Amino acid sequence: MSTHAGGLMAAEIAEQPEALTRLLAAHDRIEAVAARIRAAGPRFVLLAARGTSDHAALYAKYLVETTLGLPCGLVSTSVYTAYERQPDLHGVLWVAVSQSGGSPDLVESTERARAGGALTLAVTNTDDSPLQRASELSVDVLAGPERSVAATKTYTSSLLALWLVVRAWASLPHEPARRVPDWAHAALEADVDDVVARFRFVDKLVTTSRGYAYPTAREAALKLMETCYLSAHAFSGADLLHGPLAMIDADRPVLVVVPEGPGGRALDPVVEALRSRGADLTVVGAPPDGGPAPAVPLPTGMDEQLAPVVQILPLQRLARSLAVSRGLDPDRPRGLNKVTRTF
């Protein structure tokens, strides 16, 4: 085990191409789960998650709605726990996403969902967890043990697992994902040192994106908050223009995740508005039309649906390196534990 600050996080970030390769090799098991879902024919999907896994769930929401054409929502678990309600969930696929599968509110709400008629699926990194036992179906994301408090490889493996589930449910081939480990290797080579130097004394920033990449912006903000203790606010590019744009000036850096495809094109007016306010922009990914070259380039030609698995990698490295530059240990953020128990 590494003894230097951020050593665990650095090692687990580096393991991600291998973890993604391992998950792809297990696609047959995921296809068997998807076949059960397809046979049940759910007409609505509900996603339950917390923290980093909540961003994976948000990504899955985009996948379900665009690939399957089904309505999909994010669950308020307090409805089932604090308020002790029992909605009728017949015809619903309930997907609970959790690294540990141990948070009591996710377990209890999943039990209530199953009692209410939902087909329940647990997506976790822990075999035989309470959440897995509470669910009818389960998918192990196979990321391997994750010891750093800041989740990295469990997040990207959850994204890919959810993509594989939705893809198999839609009876579509998984072959487009075969390049993901290679893209991941390339993304881990991206140089973030200049951005670390620029952000070293920053105490507040904004992250933004659109579409499938919006969860990336949210996860990047969370990583910067929990490892570097700075105030990071994540917004959809569209929501940013509906009010929060007023707080943007040269003293509040904005990190923009720009994917290739419709999501990136939808960001063009956002980037233009930010530039007009003199914002200090840091672009991750593809350069926006007429905008600055990316500070952190990513592999080109990535499928926009799969790109979030790769986009977050240099941002994880940024969070880790920035924390260390500030004299912090991102493996052990103050006040946080690896398993967070909410009720």
Side-chain angles (χ1 to χ4, degrees), residues 19-20 23-24 26-27 29-31 33-34 37 56 59-60 63 95 97 121-125 138-143 153-169 177 180 306 309:
L20 296 168
L23 180 57
L24 285 171
H27 68 88
R29 285 190 287 172
I30 293 177
E31 288 176 359
V33 169
I37 298 170
Y59 167 74
L63 291 177
V95 182
V97 187
L121 167 64
V123 179
T124 75
N125 189 48
S138 66
V139 168
D140 187 338
V141 304
L142 302 176
K153 62 180 181 175
T154 53
Y155 176 66
T156 52
S157 291
S158 294
L159 294 184
L160 183 56
L162 289 162
W163 183 90
L164 288 167
V165 169
V166 172
R167 191 82 175 176
W169 180 3
V180 167
L306 287 165
V309 182

Side-chain angles (χ1 to χ4, degrees), residues 136-302:
E136 185 173 349
L137 304 173
S138 66
V139 168
D140 187 338
V141 304
L142 302 176
E146 188 175 61
R147 297 181 177 87
S148 177
V149 170
T152 53
K153 62 180 181 175
T154 53
Y155 176 66
T156 52
S157 291
S158 294
L159 294 184
L160 183 56
L162 289 162
W163 183 90
L164 288 167
V165 169
V166 172
R167 191 82 175 176
W169 180 3
S171 299
L172 295 171
H174 71 278
E175 279 73 16
R178 287 180 174 173
R179 295 185 62 193
V180 167
D182 290 337
W183 291 334
H185 274 295
L188 288 173
E189 296 298 320
D191 186 358
V192 298
D193 290 347
D194 288 346
V195 182
V196 170
R198 287 174 52 208
F199 285 2
R200 184 173 181 185
F201 300 106
V202 164
D203 62 359
K204 57 188 177 182
L205 60 77
V206 166
T207 66
T208 188
S209 193
R210 292 291 304 272
Y212 300 108
Y214 172 44
T216 306
R218 291 177 61 99
E219 176 62 10
L222 175 60
K223 283 292 158 284
L224 290 165
M225 285 188 281
E226 67 183 348
T227 62
C228 303
Y229 314 149
L230 55 79
S231 177
H233 297 273
F235 296 98
S236 154
D239 286 334
L240 185 62
L241 298 182
H242 282 267
L245 182 68
M247 71 176 175
I248 301 299
D249 56 29
D251 296 325
R252 189 184 299 266
V254 181
L255 193 157
V256 188
V257 182
V258 183
E260 296 180 80
R265 292 192 291 273
L267 276 170
D268 288 343
V270 180
V271 172
E272 182 179 347
L274 290 167
R275 294 211 322 262
S276 72
R277 295 191 61 81
D280 177 4
L281 291 180
T282 297
V283 175
V284 178
D289 284 352
V296 183
L298 291 171
T300 59
M302 291 190 293

Side-chain angles (χ1 to χ4, degrees), residues 98-121:
S98 172
Q99 300 155 40
S100 69
S103 186
D105 58 347
L106 290 178
V107 175
E108 181 180 346
S109 59
T110 298
E111 290 171 341
R112 285 181 174 268
R114 190 171 181 179
L119 175 63
T120 52
L121 167 64

